[in-house]
């Protein structure tokens, strides 16, 4: 009875604290993710006031948070959207992977963490934060801009790549053999392909089956179906997150809109719990030793994301200012970088990987909104100065001689 009371007190205090932090972030027009991570650092291992009774409950909530994050992401896109984006923008997706995954992999190898950590850190530096970027675009009033579809296309390709990447990471961190990992990847690709085919061919049938005018029934059916599929996917050694993502893709039309409405509060709650959970498992004392590598990696990958956005926007025929806005908007990393790092932290791959990922995300989730706002004006100013320097100075003309009188 005593432990139950302590659990309620701890968990209630966490939820209340998250609500206050979210309110503070909203007033400052700031993403709440770094505040959630800092809260986890404060109350986790080595923090100011370590929690005990509620940790197991928070772990379950964190897993549900990951599932809901990927489900809500899948609801944003239909199967036809994914196919069309893949066909139109896959060169930009390849550039995105090359420029942003390689720095993470190289950094892990230079730090002596080995190939498994390199695969994980490559994903941490590769994937932009869809949630933070979507909020920033809305705050800046850029939803209707010409470059916004390009930004969304890059995010869609990254999210689709997650369906392949997450099973690979899951197999790698679990230390399975090459044959077992190949089987896992083949299952993941087969399931993803099957879901896309079913969604394209029978999406309306599935949506009608799930559909309900009663928000309560819609919530229960969609949430239950998602957690069930996520559990089956995890049992097949794929990924619970991938299963949730594919469920979101399979739903479309009014059902997707209704599910998005009723599930958004739950997503926000459990996603916040997830960030706290990640912070709880990171000792604050372990961050200072990796702060310099995290800062260097943040600077490098901020520049590579800007280059990625510039290239993608140029391919789409966007003018120069829109290209810089595209690059600046893609800089933020957030939820998915933490999801990927969390897999390695849970498996105990490299003790310093979690702290580095935390510091890296904290830096870029703060810098990302700033680059989205100021990259284009700074680039315009710098380009103007260079053009002014290259323009040859006008030679002063000789003054006309006044006629000499008689």
């Amino acid at each position: 009875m005593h432990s139950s009371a302590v659990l309620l007190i701890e968990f209630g205090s966490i939820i209340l604290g998250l609500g206050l932090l979210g309110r503070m972030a909203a007033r400052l027009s700031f993403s709440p993710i770094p505040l959630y991570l800092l809260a986890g650092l404060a109350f986790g291992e080595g923090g100011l006031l370590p929690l005990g009774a509620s940790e197991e409950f928070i772990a379950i909530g964190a897993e549900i948070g990951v599932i809901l994050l990927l489900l809500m992401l899948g609801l944003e896109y239909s199967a036809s959207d994914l196919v069309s984006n893949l066909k139109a923008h896959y060169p930009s997706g390849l550039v995105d992977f090359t420029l942003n995954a390689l720095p993470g992999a190289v950094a892990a190898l230079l730090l002596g963490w080995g190939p498994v950590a390199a695969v994980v850190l490559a994903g941490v530096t590769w994937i932009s934060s869809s949630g933070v970027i979507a909020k920033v675009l809305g705050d800046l009033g850029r939803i209707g801009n010409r470059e916004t579809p390009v930004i969304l296309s890059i995010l869609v390709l990254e999210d689709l790549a997650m369906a392949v990447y997450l099973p690979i990471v899951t197999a790698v961190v679990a230390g399975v053999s090459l044959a077992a990992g190949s089987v896992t990847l083949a299952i993941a690709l087969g399931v993803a392909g099957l879901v896309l085919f079913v969604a394209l061919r029978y999406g309306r049938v599935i949506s009608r089956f799930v559909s309900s005018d009663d928000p309560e029934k819609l919530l229960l059916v969609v949430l239950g179906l998602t957690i069930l599929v996520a559990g089956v996917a995890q049992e097949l050694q794929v990924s619970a997150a991938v299963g949730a993502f594919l469920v979101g893709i399979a739903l479309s039309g009014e059902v997707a809109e209704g599910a998005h409405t009723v599930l958004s509060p739950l997503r926000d709650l459990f996603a916040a719990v997830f960030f706290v959970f990640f912070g709880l498992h990171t000792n604050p004392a372990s961050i200072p030793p990796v702060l310099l590598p995290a800062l260097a990696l943040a600077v490098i990958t901020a520049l590579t994301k800007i280059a990625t956005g510039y290239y993608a926007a140029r391919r789409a025929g966007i003018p120069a200012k829109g290209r810089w806005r595209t690059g600046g908007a893609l800089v933020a990393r957030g939820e998915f970088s933490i999801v990927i790092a969390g897999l390695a932290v849970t498996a105990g791959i490299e003790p310093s990987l979690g702290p580095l990922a935390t510091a890296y995300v904290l830096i870029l989730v703060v810098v990302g909104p700033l680059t989205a706002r100021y990259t284009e004006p700074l680039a315009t100013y710098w380009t103007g100065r260079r053009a002014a320097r290259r323009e040859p100075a006008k030679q002063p003309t000789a003054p006309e001689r006044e006629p000499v009188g008689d």
Side-chain angles (χ1 to χ4, degrees), residues 12-385:
S13 301
I14 290 172
I15 299 301
L16 176 60
L18 293 177
L20 296 176
L21 290 175
R23 183 181 297 179
M24 182 192 306
R27 287 182 178 177
L28 298 173
S29 298
F30 192 74
S31 170
I33 293 175
L35 300 182
Y36 295 157
L37 288 171
L38 290 174
L41 291 172
F43 294 100
E45 177 186 355
L48 300 175
L49 184 63
L51 301 177
S54 59
E55 186 170 349
E56 185 176 350
F57 187 77
I58 293 173
I60 297 173
E63 192 166 354
I64 295 175
V66 175
I67 290 171
L68 289 177
L69 279 170
L70 272 294
L71 168 66
M72 299 295 283
L73 188 64
L75 290 173
E76 296 289 339
Y77 315 114
S78 67
S80 58
D81 290 336
L82 288 177
V83 173
S84 62
N85 275 292
L86 187 60
K87 289 180 179 178
H89 298 285
Y90 74 89
S92 300
L94 293 175
V95 170
D96 180 32
F97 170 77
T98 303
L99 291 182
N100 298 288
L102 284 181
V106 171
L109 294 176
L110 290 177
L111 290 169
W113 292 353
V116 175
V119 173
V120 175
L121 195 55
V124 171
T125 59
W126 171 24
I127 304 296
S128 297
S129 171
S130 301
V132 174
I133 291 171
K135 186 177 187 306
V136 169
L137 291 177
D139 292 342
L140 296 177
R142 296 182 183 174
I143 298 298
N145 284 17
R146 279 189 62 191
E147 72 272 6
T148 298
V150 178
I151 297 171
L152 296 179
S153 296
I154 295 294
L155 298 178
V156 168
L157 289 171
E158 289 181 351
D159 300 334
L160 183 60
M162 290 275 285
V164 178
Y165 175 78
L166 283 177
I168 293 176
V169 173
T170 303
V172 168
V173 300
V176 300
S177 64
L178 179 62
S182 300
V183 171
T184 299
L185 179 58
I187 292 173
L189 291 175
V191 171
L194 178 61
V195 170
L196 287 176
F197 172 77
V198 171
L200 283 169
R201 193 74 178 267
Y202 305 106
R204 293 182 179 179
V205 176
I206 298 172
S207 297
R208 279 200 301 268
F209 170 76
V210 174
S211 179
S212 175
D213 294 331
D214 186 341
E216 179 184 352
K217 294 183 176 63
L218 179 63
L219 169 65
L220 293 174
V221 171
V222 174
L223 183 60
L225 177 64
T226 302
I227 295 177
L228 174 63
V229 172
V232 171
Q234 189 158 310
E235 188 67 25
L236 293 173
Q237 300 298 313
V238 181
S239 169
V242 172
F245 179 64
L246 294 174
V247 170
I249 293 173
L251 301 178
S252 61
E254 293 182 2
V255 172
E257 294 177 5
H260 192 282
T261 301
V262 298
L263 287 170
S264 289
L266 278 180
R267 186 270 314 270
D268 295 338
L269 168 63
F270 285 105
V273 171
F274 167 73
F275 293 122
V276 170
F277 176 76
F278 188 83
L280 288 174
H281 283 71
T282 302
N283 192 330
S286 63
I287 290 182
V290 297
L291 190 56
L292 190 59
L295 182 60
L297 198 57
V299 171
I300 292 170
T301 54
L303 295 175
T304 55
K305 273 293 181 182
I306 292 174
T308 298
Y310 190 95
Y311 169 81
R314 188 177 65 180
R315 281 192 75 249
I318 305 297
K321 289 186 177 182
R323 298 172 194 173
W324 290 115
R325 287 196 296 267
T326 302
L330 290 170
V331 167
R333 309 309 201 273
E335 60 272 23
F336 299 115
S337 296
I338 298 298
V339 168
I340 295 166
L343 295 174
V345 170
T346 303
I349 297 300
E350 169 58 48
S352 298
L353 182 56
L356 186 141
T358 301
Y360 175 79
V361 169
L362 281 170
I363 293 169
L364 287 185
V365 84
V366 173
V367 171
L370 299 177
T371 59
R373 185 184 297 268
Y374 296 113
T375 297
E376 180 263 318
L378 287 175
T380 302
Y381 171 76
W382 180 253
T383 304
R385 285 196 60 183

Side-chain angles (χ1 to χ4, degrees), residues 384-399:
R385 285 196 60 183
R386 289 186 62 186
R389 288 178 182 176
R390 290 178 180 177
E391 185 177 342
K394 293 183 178 180
Q395 297 295 330
T397 57

